[in-house]
């Protein structure tokens, strides 16, 4: 089952389990059904619980909050995170703080799906990964699953969490397939997953960067290098125990991030590890994230823009003083640099 | 644009008339007391008084059911009390005490009393409007008869979120009452520097698709009648309504003082409105109609004074929350 | 709300009539060619075509002065070309080449030609509206006679920023023309799920305080006449105007294909609009009026074809920007 | 001259020097004149260049951008940063990217003044210091002056900078006095200032935290501890050379931040220093910032909420293995914990 199908299944299961779950957003009931993720929901649960909306991101976020204050569990979706910037007042001044500022009397159980664009001409305003913003705001939870299994389990946990949850979906993950358990299972929010066990170095990553890390790690393994991979799955609250435990074991840290480098969650991870694992660190931690400039649209200009497995290998080489060749890894790649695979033909 | 007409024949029962006067006097007395003691520096939070605007809050509060929802703004004391919010908890909140309605977390601008259907007030202009619409959506989804009353000012009309929220409420025919108190100012800014000179806010609301009405916000009975009709229409499934009431804030935008001297508005303008004090007008009406005697009024005043004194004593004698509590409730566990 | 009336007596000069037809045909041909070659996968960016909507862009573009400003949306090709934007630079931009109007940074949704007063187009619905109002403010401050034309769709009307921007333009009487192309859809969403069923967008705009008019967006001459009157009024200092033109997008929201089969709208609806193809209607009118001969039309078509072929060759033969350039222009130094 | 007077002088000088500078925002021409900072501007430069606005933060930001694209230099002000959250789409998707996404043809010379509230019941939505957000967005500049001299010099630099600049004013700094040069002088954006020279430890701070640091450092000096204080002045672009140079000299780092701890600029400083000054660090870097929860309103609950000079001394004690008593420092303080001094009597 693919990542997007897993989300669709989670939405079906949640809405079937609890009549208070509703789902809305631009296009949830249109023929494309948000890349298939909302397929069948309206037919099954009706137009009162599944509906399209006006292009009014700010008010529609506040409306979700208001409904949530009275027991509804809204699941809202934005086809690009970039559109959600219109709703920061509602998110930060209301959703994140309501439970706190009224003395814990009511909480805001909303789930907001944010799809991250990348490549194929998405350009400056259809490609931003601003999880660092949301993790800086007390009261918000931010999940960034990589696998189909985690997508379903975290979607269910998000919908039934009593707090506002931002659910990130990297567009390049939508068609990635994996085994997904049937029925209702919950992947706990705030717990990282050890995706690969290893000795020599800890790689911490989230969302799509986990995929690049896996390519790199499995390749490095062939050369006797053993990396541990921590898939954060949630970046707020972040699973510091898991991060520290792994770094204390390996003594080395490389953090990967889908966002711009400066001020990234990756930076916070490096900082905390430096402060809390100082004595365990055998060498200087490293970070690989997006460059500090907008994503250009041109095919020519995005060449080499995204950190890929070969960049991870190069950094690991530096850190461990090895020099594993990257060419074999690069030459494996069958599709252009600006698409995740043949399944993506644009436009979004 | 559909205009909605009050029902003139609707007679207000004498008991209700006394309640209207009582509510206004009670709100006035509470706020006068806040003003009188604010300088002591124990109410350490920005505080916006509604003195002069009591008629709307009182009449709307009495038109709504207790289980209806209300949501408000930075200037929320009157709305909260009118809806039946707990007085002691409000004063304690303004004093930042553990017994406050928000446990001291929010202060004057963050009032809540869920038992009275007062879901909250916020300090960001306009940002409680969609919350109120969302409450209306929830009532519709739950299939209850509740309606959601969204208090807003003439300044909040300028926020795009009002327009977006109203549009959605109309599209979904939600049980929402938009209640706009037009007091002609946003802080020190008169309407003309913020909105077109010949705009009528209720007409704008009508063009968005809301059924609208407007009236004299200092005439408590007409506010009560117009609002009751609107609420009835909403409850009968006729979709969201918008009411605009003209009224006037007597004191400074934020804080306890008069500030007609600093130059953003004239003393004459203030005096004209003061001459139309909603409380005096109504008190005289009830007296001259023989519906109340001076003695009744005096008793009413006395009982209010006693209750308010008690509320302030309650607040002042309540403890502050522990500083250590500040870390709690970031997430609901 | 003040309605503005076109000037019927205003006769359009034959030369201008030919220009109107030429512009429409040129835009159509450019977009048909993009559609035909899009599948090659060399135009790698989301691309929104205006095929079927050429009349508005052509007439408005010819009504504006070259030094007037225009700002647009995700669906900007026609507006850019109508305003006089460089064709080769646009095609090169869609191909992501260094010779593109935005040097490959922006793609189809980010067009700019400052020499033609086309200040930009953006990919976030509604967010170029205040930019256009700001350009109007700048013209007023500089004391020039320039006006600013803000292209927007029926969906953008739903964004609070439209309402806020229009309100400010009215308050300051800015030289701004709000040009709304109502094509009845926002992606796959019909108006009824987004706005009240009986709403007239131009009436809503009028209630905000704008002087408004509306018309048939597929009748290029009436668009030209209505728009010219509005522009004249703006230039004469009568403040911002709002025009709504009804028209229809023939192909899918984004991309080169027809999609009437997928179920969000009917083939019949499409065919009704196609029967009112603004180009065919006008071509026949000019032919039957004897203002052009079939030969003239053929020549016109041929010259357009040649120019467009050249533009695509230019684009395809242009180099990509260096990947290393991607770090430049974050800040202006 | 006070900080706020310095800003007023900068605005007067800028508007006198360049007719293209305009100034607007809620209340700029009202009797309070934004705490005095816009006093006299309307009388001197007229209502076309100095005006009040509707409560429409989002559109008014876009309008500033549009005007700036045609040569105007708008200076916009928000009495609290929290209100500016309504304008994130215009800031991030337009202002920050316009120069980049149109190939460098036009830039956006706007200055947005953001006033930070704190204490005296400002509460959850009148007290947020979100500079970490803005420093994470390529294309934005973020200045956070501490002294009156820097306030004027940086305001002039901001107004005449060709890029969007966010100018932070901590409310607790408004009445702080200092010597301010006459006329037009520019404090360069992106350059930190060594506020105190020192040997033993580097303290990096911005805005109001510099004041607390100075109290701590001067007090520590009496006990023979020599701290170097770097007043960042600008947090984007951040003066890494200055930070690294100081840390390489002292070998120790303590970062102070006015924002919430997790995801703070302070965290980015710790991370970069760990990565770039690894070999110079004699011990684990430290960070002191606001706790990860909203600011409560109650006087009782804000007790001990804000990091003060004594907290700095306590941390320095730990880092250097000293134990300088903090009581003398605390007992000096004459006013309640929720106000900067007697001049502040609320409400804002
Ligand atoms: C988004 C936002 N902008 C500005 C402010 C500052 N502010 C607080 S109250 C107020 C006036 C609002 O006027 P109105 O809506 O008419 O309410 P009134 O004060 O007259 O009751 C303003 C501008 C704010 N709190 N939030
Ligand atoms: C803020 C925002 N929300 C949603 C989108 C996705 N989107 C792109 S175009 C579009 C439709 C806009 O409809 P309309 O304004 O009528 O323009 P049209 O496509 O019909 O020309 C939408 C919703 C976006 N780009 N920005
Ligand atoms: Mg008002
Ligand atoms: Mg449309």
């Amino acid at each position: 089952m693919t990542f997007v199908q897993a989300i669709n299944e989670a939405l079906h299961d949640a809405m079937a389990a609890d009549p208070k779950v509703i789902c809305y957003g631009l296009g949830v009931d249109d023929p494309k059904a948000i890349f298939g993720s909302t397929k069948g929901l309206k037919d099954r649960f009706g137009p009162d619980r599944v509906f399209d909306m006006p292009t009014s991101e700010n008010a529609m976020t506040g409306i979700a909050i208001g409904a949530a204050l009275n027991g509804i569990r809204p699941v809202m979706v934005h086809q690009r995170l970039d559109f959600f910037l219109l709703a920061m007042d509602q998110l930060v001044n209301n959703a994140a703080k309501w439970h706190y500022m009224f003395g814990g009397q009511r909480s805001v159980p909303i789930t907001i799906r944010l799809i991250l664009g990348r490549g194929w001409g998405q350009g400056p305003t259809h490609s931003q990964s601003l999880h660092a913003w949301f993790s800086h705001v007390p009261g918000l939870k931010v999940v960034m699953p990589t696998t189909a299994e985690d997508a379903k389990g975290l979607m269910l946990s998000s919908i039934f969490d009593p707090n506002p949850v931002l659910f990130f979906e990297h567009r390049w993950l939508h068609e990635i397939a994996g085994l997904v358990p049937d029925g209702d299972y919950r992947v706990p929010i705030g717990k990282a997953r050890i995706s690969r066990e290893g000795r020599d170095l800890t790689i911490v990553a989230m969302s799509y960067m986990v995929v690049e890390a896996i390519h790199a790690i499995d390749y490095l393994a062939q050369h006797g290098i053993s990396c541990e991979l921590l898939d954060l799955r949630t970046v707020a609250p972040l699973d510091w125990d898991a991060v520290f435990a792994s770094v204390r074991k390996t003594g080395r840290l490389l953090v990967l991030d889908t966002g711009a480098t400066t001020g990234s969650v990756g930076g916070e991870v490096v900082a905390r590890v430096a402060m809390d694992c100082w004595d365990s660190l055998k060498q200087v931690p490293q970070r690989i994230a997006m460059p500090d400039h907008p994503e250009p649209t041109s095919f020519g200009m995005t060449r080499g823009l995204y950190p890929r497995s070969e960049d991870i290998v190069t950094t690991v080489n530096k850190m461990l003083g090895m020099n594993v060749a990257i060419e074999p890894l690069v030459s494996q790649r069958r599709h252009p640099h600006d698409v995740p695979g043949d399944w993506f033909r644009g436009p979004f | 644009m559909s205009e909605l007409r009050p029902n003139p024949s609707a007679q207000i029962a004498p008991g209700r008339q006394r309640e209207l006067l009582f509510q206004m006097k009670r709100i006035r007395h509470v706020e006068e007391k806040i003003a009188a003691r604010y300088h002591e520096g124990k109410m350490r939070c920005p505080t916006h008084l509604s003195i002069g605007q009591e008629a709307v809050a009182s009449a709307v509060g009495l038109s709504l059911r207790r289980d209806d929802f209300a949501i408000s703004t930075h200037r929320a004391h009157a709305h909260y009390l009118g809806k039946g919010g707990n007085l002691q908890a409000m004063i304690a909140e303004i004093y930042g005490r553990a017994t406050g309605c928000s446990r001291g977390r929010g202060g004057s601008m963050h009032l809540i009393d869920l038992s009275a259907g007062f879901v909250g007030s916020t300090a960001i202009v306009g940002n409680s409007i969609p919350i109120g619409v969302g409450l209306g959506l929830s009532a519709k989804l739950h299939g209850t008869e509740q309606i959601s009353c969204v208090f807003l000012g003439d300044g909040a009309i300028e926020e795009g979120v009002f327009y977006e929220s109203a549009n959605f409420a109309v599209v979904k025919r939600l049980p929402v009452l938009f209640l706009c108190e037009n007091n002609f100012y946003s802080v020190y800014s008169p309407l003309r520097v913020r909105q077109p000179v010949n705009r009528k806010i209720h007409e704008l609301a009508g063009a968005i698709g809301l059924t609208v009405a407007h009236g004299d916000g200092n005439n408590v009975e007409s506010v009560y009648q117009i609002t009751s009709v609107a609420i009835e229409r909403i409850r009968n499934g006729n979709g969201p309504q918008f009411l605009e009431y003209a009224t006037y804030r007597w004191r400074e935008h934020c804080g306890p003082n008069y500030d007609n001297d600093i130059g953003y508005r004239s003393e004459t303008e203030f005096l004209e409105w003061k001459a139309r004090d909603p409380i005096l007008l109504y008190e005289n009406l009830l007296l001259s109609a023989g519906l109340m005697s001076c003695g009744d009024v005096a008793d009413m005043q006395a009982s209010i004074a006693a209750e308010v004194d008690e509320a302030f004593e309650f607040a002042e004698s309540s403890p502050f929350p522990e500083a250590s509590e500040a870390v709690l409730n970031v997430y609901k566990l």
Side-chain angles (χ1 to χ4, degrees), chain A, chain B:
Chain A
M1 181 184 296
T2 65
F3 187 100
V4 85
Q5 288 165 338
I7 286 170
N8 182 248
E9 192 165 283
L11 291 171
H12 271 277
D13 293 357
M15 296 191 77
D18 183 349
K20 292 192 229 57
V21 177
I22 66 172
C23 171
Y24 67 86
L26 292 171
V28 292
D29 61 349
D30 76 21
K32 299 285 174 75
I34 317 290
F35 310 111
S37 63
T38 56
K39 222 201 263 120
L41 292 176
K42 189 179 188 179
D43 293 345
R44 184 167 169 202
F45 302 105
D48 288 347
R49 291 177 61 196
V50 182
F51 52 88
D52 202 344
M53 67 176 212
T55 316
S56 306
E57 287 79 3
N58 191 28
M60 295 311 300
T61 304
I63 287 162
I65 297 166
L69 289 173
N70 190 35
I72 302 298
R73 295 184 174 278
V75 180
M76 212 179 156
V77 59
H78 296 282
Q79 300 208 17
R80 286 293 179 270
L81 176 147
D82 314 68
F83 311 156
F84 186 46
L85 287 173
L86 284 156
M88 292 302 100
D89 170 54
Q90 287 300 323
L91 180 75
V92 175
N93 287 328
N94 281 341
K97 297 178 174 55
W98 204 276
H99 185 62
Y100 188 93
M101 71 188 172
F102 290 105
Q105 293 174 72
R106 276 269 195 281
S107 73
V108 180
I110 60 175
T111 301
I112 300 180
R113 297 173 53 197
L114 302 170
I115 298 172
L116 306 179
R118 160 162 159 167
W120 208 91
Q122 301 305 298
T125 63
H126 279 56
S127 61
Q128 297 170 86
S129 189
L130 291 171
H131 46 293
W133 273 30
F134 307 135
S135 357
H136 183 53
V137 178
L140 300 177
K141 296 188 176 185
V142 184
V143 302
M144 300 181 72
T146 307
T147 67
E149 177 176 1
D150 286 341
K152 181 182 172 186
L154 277 168
M155 177 58 77
L156 286 165
S157 296
S158 301
I159 293 171
F160 294 107
D161 191 279
N163 303 287
V165 181
L166 301 164
F167 190 97
F168 279 56
E169 301 171 31
H170 198 295
R171 183 70 181 108
W172 283 30
L173 293 173
H174 269 163
E175 295 302 313
I176 284 190
L179 288 175
V180 175
D182 293 339
D184 182 352
Y185 66 95
R186 312 287 172 93
V187 171
I189 293 175
K191 290 265 159 278
R193 182 175 56 86
I194 296 179
S195 157
R196 291 285 190 279
E197 295 238 13
R199 291 180 319 276
D200 306 333
L201 178 142
T202 298
I203 296 181
V204 171
M206 78 287 287
S207 185
Y208 178 74
M209 289 313 292
V210 171
V211 174
E212 295 290 343
I214 287 172
H215 290 312
I217 289 174
D218 293 350
Y219 175 70
L220 287 163
Q222 299 163 23
H223 298 74
I225 298 173
S226 156
C227 299
E228 181 144 298
L229 173 59
L230 215 60
D231 177 352
L232 286 176
R233 302 196 295 188
T234 302
V235 297
L238 200 143
D239 188 349
W240 294 113
D241 295 344
V243 173
F244 296 162
S246 179
V247 172
R248 291 199 174 106
K249 183 173 85 175
T250 67
R252 294 189 179 81
L253 172 71
L254 167 59
V255 190
L256 313 178
D257 198 307
T258 54
T261 303
T262 300
S264 58
V265 167
E268 179 68 18
V269 172
V270 169
R272 293 259 178 137
V273 165
M275 292 186 286
D276 295 37
C277 307
W278 183 256
D279 301 327
S280 324
L281 281 171
K282 298 184 188 141
Q283 78 180 153
V284 45
Q286 296 295 334
R287 164 175 66 174
I288 299 179
M290 290 291 288
D292 287 319
H293 62 73
E295 172 164 330
T297 301
S298 166
F299 179 79
M301 266 181 151
T302 50
R303 226 183 248 118
L305 181 70
Y306 316 110
R308 303 298 293 259
S309 49
E310 56 268 31
D311 304 297
I312 298 168
V313 170
T314 304
T315 303
V316 172
N317 273 336
K318 281 209 206 76
M319 292 178 77
L320 299 176
M322 319 278 293
N323 67 54
V324 178
I326 60 170
E327 293 67 24
L329 196 53
V330 179
S331 52
Q332 282 169 23
R333 201 164 288 130
R334 293 272 155 277
H335 43 267
H337 71 270
D338 66 340
V339 293
D342 307 336
W343 63 268
F344 189 92
R345 299 218 165 64
F348 292 115
Chain B
M1 140 185 162
S2 48
E3 265 273 2
L4 107 93
R5 303 245 153 282
N7 177 348
S9 61
Q11 249 311 326
I12 303 179
R16 186 39 62 101
Q17 290 178 307
R18 273 188 297 276
E19 287 179 281
L20 286 168
L21 183 64
F22 175 81
Q23 280 295 355
M24 289 196 291
K25 281 179 162 295
R26 182 168 177 263
I27 292 168
R28 172 74 55 93
H29 193 86
V30 169
E31 297 217 297
E32 292 285 7
K33 183 125 179 166
I34 292 171
R37 302 186 57 172
Y38 198 71
H39 73 276
E40 293 171 3
K42 296 179 188 170
M43 292 178 260
R44 294 172 89 82
C45 59
T47 301
H48 305 76
L49 303 176
S50 302
I51 295 173
Q53 305 186 191
E54 297 88 351
V56 173
S58 304
V60 173
L62 287 170
S63 317
L64 292 165
R65 285 195 200 155
R66 189 170 178 82
D67 70 342
D68 285 333
F69 298 117
I71 191 113
S72 177
T73 71
H74 55 284
R75 195 179 307 284
H77 298 176
H79 306 145
Y80 170 97
L81 293 173
K83 186 68 174 69
N86 181 293
L87 172 61
Q88 298 194 333
M90 178 181 103
I91 303 298
E93 185 62 33
I94 300 173
Y95 273 86
R97 305 307 165 106
T99 53
C101 58
S102 295
R103 314 223 161 103
R105 298 296 185 84
S108 162
M109 296 195 285
H110 296 92
L111 302 180
I112 181 171
D113 187 339
L114 295 172
S115 69
F118 195 85
V119 184
S121 64
T122 67
I124 302 294
V125 170
N127 90 344
S128 58
I129 298 171
I131 306 291
V133 173
L135 289 165
L137 174 64
S138 71
K140 191 180 181 200
L141 289 167
H142 290 312
T144 68
E145 279 202 327
Q146 294 161 291
I147 78 159
S148 173
C149 175
V150 179
F151 288 100
L152 65 151
D154 51 287
I157 292 290
E158 294 148 23
E159 292 287 359
V161 74
F162 159 69
Y163 168 84
E164 294 181 352
S165 303
N167 179 68
F168 183 75
V170 173
V171 168
K172 295 287 184 193
R173 288 179 74 83
L174 299 180
V176 177
L177 174 65
F178 294 91
L179 206 303
C180 179
E181 283 174 274
N182 182 352
N183 62 9
F184 306 96
Y185 291 89
S186 171
V187 192
Y188 305 108
S189 309
L191 270 166
R192 72 172 179 287
V193 304
R194 306 178 278 121
Q195 298 181 34
V197 277
N198 44 19
R199 166 177 299 172
K200 298 215 174 344
I201 288 173
H202 59 275
E203 286 176 6
L204 172 62
I208 295 172
L210 295 159
T211 304
V212 308
H214 60 107
D216 173 3
N218 283 20
N219 178 335
V220 73
E221 285 207 354
S222 103
V223 173
Y224 183 77
Q225 284 171 316
I226 294 172
T227 307
S228 301
V229 174
I231 288 172
E232 194 188 342
R233 285 180 52 97
I234 296 171
R235 245 187 263 288
N236 295 339
N238 297 300
Q241 316 276 311
F242 181 97
L243 303 178
E244 175 186 2
Y245 293 115
T247 183
Y248 201 77
R249 150 174 69 77
W250 287 9
R251 303 198 182 214
E252 61 189 336
H253 164 69
C254 183
N257 308 305
Y258 288 97
D259 68 350
N260 304 316
D261 54 316
I262 66 175
Y264 72 101
R265 65 185 196 183
S266 71
E267 182 75 13
T268 10
E269 178 182 274
F270 163 68
L271 291 174
E272 280 162 28
W273 280 97
K274 193 158 187 294
R276 301 200 50 261
D277 177 355
I279 300 180
L280 269 188
L281 287 177
Y282 199 51
E283 182 174 316
N284 293 337
L285 187 140
L286 295 191
L287 287 171
S288 53
L291 288 158
M292 285 182 79
S293 69
C294 295
D296 299 337
V297 173
D299 296 345
M300 188 181 273
Q301 199 63 60
S303 71
I304 289 171
E307 184 199 6
V308 175
D309 287 343
E310 212 179 291
F312 275 78
E313 276 154 34
F314 170 80
E316 291 222 50
S317 61
S318 295
F320 282 117
E322 290 300 320
S324 58
E325 278 177 39
V327 300
L328 305 177
N329 303 127
V330 173
Y331 291 125
K332 179 171 185 185
L333 305 177

